[in-house]
Amino acid sequence: MDMQNKRVAAIHDLSGVGRCSLTVIMPILSAMGVQACPVPTAILSTHTGGFGEVAFQDLTDYLPQALSHYQRLNLDFSCVYSGFLGSEAQIDHCLAFFQAYPDALAVVDPVMGDHGRAYRTVTEGMQRRMIELVGIADIITPNLTEAALLTGSSPDDSPEAIMSRLETPNAVITSVPGGEDEIGYLARLNGRVLRVHKPKLSLELHGCGDVFASALCAQLLNDQPLPDALQKAADFCDGCIRKTAQRQPGHWYGLA
């Protein structure tokens, strides 16, 4: 399949305001030459990080209908890329997508928590099922909190110790503290441990993980080797963060 026909089934939520999930994933993949095919798990009026009570529509029942239609059309996907999943039933439907396209690049961003805490929607049952989901992935992109949840680690454990407990062959842990005033990525790619550090800004932004993971996904589909894809995705995300920092206030609206 040539680049013009490479498709990504992007199984994520869609937030109308606040750049994150599908509203950043679709343009980034498209700009990098990959067809983004959204499979929304839920529709939200805004993301949940500072806009008050949101309008929310669950789309669990849509997921198997979409997969069934794609299979009837004999559509092929080069990649299946999942993010926020709101229930164990959605994890079941997501697993069905991965199983339906066994030759596709399987990318899982296990959205489960941040700042050392699980999100309130993430039950113990959800954690167990998410471990099952990441177990079939080719590459996962958890933040440090999510990597700890996946491995039963304490968020206070060292990133290296947490990484060593992840069973997925290729993993990139995001939001990893580096040296003084640094933050970045700790990756294990085909057994090789890599680190990428960027200057840390005194700014908390929503959607950074989605920007990074979608850029990484696109680079891999553009046949970039894993280490090069990691560096280019990190550089792209850092550039977006810096551009956003020039546009304060209003950083809760996501990355520029």
Side-chain angles (χ1 to χ4, degrees):
M1 182 181 290
D2 62 35
M3 278 305 301
Q4 291 183 339
N5 292 318
K6 285 193 175 181
R7 302 186 189 94
V8 177
I11 308 173
H12 295 256
D13 63 291
L14 174 63
S15 295
V17 173
R19 299 183 187 96
C20 66
S21 57
L22 283 173
T23 58
V24 300
I25 291 165
M26 291 177 66
I28 289 172
L29 290 175
S30 297
M32 295 186 180
V34 180
Q35 183 182 358
C37 304
V39 184
T41 60
I43 298 175
L44 296 82
S45 52
T46 69
H47 67 59
T48 57
F51 290 102
E53 187 174 350
V54 304
F56 178 90
Q57 182 67 53
D58 180 88
L59 293 179
T60 299
D61 292 342
Y62 167 76
L63 302 179
Q65 296 177 51
L67 175 58
S68 178
H69 188 199
Y70 297 152
Q71 290 179 305
R72 291 197 304 272
L73 293 172
N74 292 318
L75 281 178
D76 195 14
F77 288 98
S78 304
C79 172
V80 177
Y81 164 31
S82 70
F84 172 76
L85 300 168
S87 66
E88 292 184 53
Q90 288 196 348
I91 292 178
D92 286 332
H93 298 321
C94 190
L95 281 164
F97 261 92
F98 283 111
Q99 291 161 359
Y101 299 99
D103 296 329
L105 177 69
V107 180
V108 175
D109 185 5
V111 180
M112 301 170 68
D114 207 354
H115 302 296
R117 299 187 302 275
Y119 297 137
R120 59 181 178 82
T121 57
V122 179
T123 63
E124 289 185 6
M126 282 285 289
Q127 289 187 42
R128 289 193 297 270
R129 300 306 309 283
M130 189 62 76
I131 291 170
E132 180 183 349
L133 183 63
V134 301
I136 66 169
D138 293 314
I139 188 165
I140 64 173
T141 59
N143 62 33
L144 192 56
T145 297
E146 291 157 349
L149 290 170
L150 289 169
T151 57
S153 304
S154 166
D156 296 327
D157 290 349
S158 72
E160 292 77 12
I162 294 172
M163 173 67 85
S164 71
R165 299 172 191 138
L166 287 170
E167 296 183 3
T168 307
N170 298 310
V172 181
I173 302 179
T174 66
S175 304
V176 175
E180 185 177 356
D181 297 324
E182 286 187 331
I183 195 163
Y185 309 86
L186 174 65
R188 185 181 65 221
L189 306 175
N190 296 323
R192 178 184 176 190
V193 176
L194 302 170
R195 292 171 178 81
V196 176
H197 295 299
K198 297 292 182 181
K200 184 178 181 180
L201 303 179
S202 57
L203 176 68
E204 182 175 345
L205 292 165
H206 298 279
C208 295
D210 297 323
V211 169
F212 168 78
S214 53
L216 178 70
C217 180
Q219 293 290 350
L220 292 173
L221 291 174
N222 275 293
D223 299 322
Q224 291 293 314
L226 274 167
D228 293 348
L230 168 65
Q231 185 67 58
K232 289 181 178 182
D235 291 345
F236 176 75
C237 189
D238 182 64
C240 292
I241 291 170
R242 293 182 174 282
K243 183 65 69 174
T244 306
Q246 298 169 9
R247 299 183 180 183
Q248 290 289 20
H251 59 272
W252 54 87
Y253 286 99
L255 273 69

